[in-house]
Amino acid sequence: MQLFSLQGRVAMVTGCNKGLGQGIALALAEAGADIVGVSRQPADDTRQQVEALGKRFYSIEAELGHDSPTDIVHQAIAHAGKLDILINNAGIIRRAPAIEFSEDDWDSVIDVNLKAAFFLAQQVAKHCIERKAPGKIVNIASLLSFQGGIRVASYTASKSGILGLTRLMANEWAAQDINVNAIAPGYMATDNTQALRDDPQRHDEILARIPAGRWGTPEDLAGAVIFLCSDAARYVHGQTLAVDGGWLAR
């Protein structure tokens, strides 16, 4: 089981104050990592739970898509001393028919979900290369990295881009001992899916298509993220692992 230990490592998790990001941060802490949490709002609840596991938690409040990724990574290193792991989890969504979709809704989602994720990864990769240390980057993709969806044009574009960038970064950085992979969560019970879960027809349609018969939870990502951040995955590069209750197999 030592292959799965993250003891002595520092992981930066974006969007960690709630939802999937909080679940990921707690899973990594339980596996032994200290956490640098990046979020728009205070992550006090996440801090308390991470510290209850005996690990350190460093908080950075930042607005991804506006604040400099370089500054965020430098702050993280100043707080924690180093970074070994990056989880690009933070993301937003806007819903409207494609024929009516606004430029503002396009730009805001692409800036957070795709642009910020790339430049954070770039800065963490530079840090690892300069230290001559291995690194792990896990991007949070989506089922819409594989499918088109409806009424979420910029979200679909951003998550399709995440899948492609995961492969691109893996191609370039694998030789530097940096593993870049992604996780594509299925339909999870988070704020991003609240509108779907509140719509009885859409809720039932989605649930009927999930072979596991339920919506996912943040805890369902724990095993996948620990694996991809651990030495057990040292020969895994450029993969996007669906954690979706069987949705894509249907």
Side-chain angles (χ1 to χ4, degrees):
M1 296 303 294
Q2 188 61 30
L3 277 176
F4 295 91
S5 173
L6 302 180
Q7 196 67 38
R9 300 182 193 179
V10 179
M12 184 164 78
V13 183
T14 65
C16 75
N17 58 311
K18 59 183 177 179
L20 297 185
Q22 183 179 72
I24 288 168
L26 296 178
L28 296 177
E30 192 164 4
D34 293 322
I35 305 298
V36 178
V38 181
S39 53
R40 288 183 295 177
Q41 300 168 339
D44 294 338
D45 184 48
T46 306
R47 173 192 294 278
Q48 290 172 7
Q49 294 188 61
V50 167
E51 291 178 347
L53 292 168
K55 307 311 296 181
R56 295 178 295 172
F57 183 88
Y58 308 94
S59 182
I60 297 174
E61 290 185 32
E63 186 77 31
L64 296 182
H66 293 90
D67 295 336
S68 163
T70 302
D71 290 346
I72 292 169
V73 171
H74 286 174
Q75 284 185 60
I77 295 167
H79 285 312
K82 65 171 184 171
L83 288 174
D84 304 293
I85 297 165
L86 168 66
I87 311 295
N88 271 318
N89 166 74
I92 61 174
I93 194 166
R94 298 287 184 269
R95 288 186 168 87
I99 200 70
E100 301 169 4
F101 212 85
S102 72
E103 189 171 353
D104 284 346
D105 282 347
W106 178 272
D107 289 344
S108 62
V109 172
I110 295 295
D111 284 351
V112 173
N113 295 11
L114 190 59
K115 182 179 177 180
F118 172 75
F119 285 104
L120 286 172
Q122 181 191 70
Q123 291 303 311
V124 171
K126 285 181 180 180
H127 170 65
C128 292
I129 291 168
E130 288 168 1
R131 290 172 54 222
K132 295 183 171 57
K136 307 286 186 180
I137 297 172
V138 178
N139 299 315
I140 301 304
S142 167
L143 295 183
L144 298 189
S145 300
F146 303 95
Q147 301 177 326
I150 56 171
R151 303 186 74 249
V152 287
S154 55
Y155 186 83
T156 298
S158 72
K159 294 303 184 179
S160 296
I162 284 291
L163 186 150
L165 283 179
T166 296
R167 293 169 173 166
L168 175 282
M169 292 186 287
N171 288 340
E172 294 199 16
W173 299 339
Q176 306 287 344
D177 205 12
I178 298 171
N179 297 79
V180 186
N181 293 287
I183 294 172
Y187 282 92
M188 299 283 173
T190 66
D191 288 353
N192 272 0
T193 62
Q194 190 66 56
L196 297 175
R197 290 181 289 120
D198 288 344
D199 181 331
Q201 180 179 348
R202 290 288 288 134
H203 174 276
D204 291 347
E205 288 172 351
I206 290 167
L207 198 60
R209 195 188 183 285
I210 301 173
R214 65 176 178 85
W215 291 69
T217 68
E219 292 77 17
D220 290 319
L221 298 185
V225 74
I226 291 170
F227 167 64
L228 290 176
C229 291
S230 74
D231 290 341
R234 60 184 169 225
Y235 200 59
V236 180
H237 295 276
Q239 298 302 306
T240 298
L241 173 61
V243 181
D244 65 353
W247 176 278
L248 289 175
R250 192 67 176 253

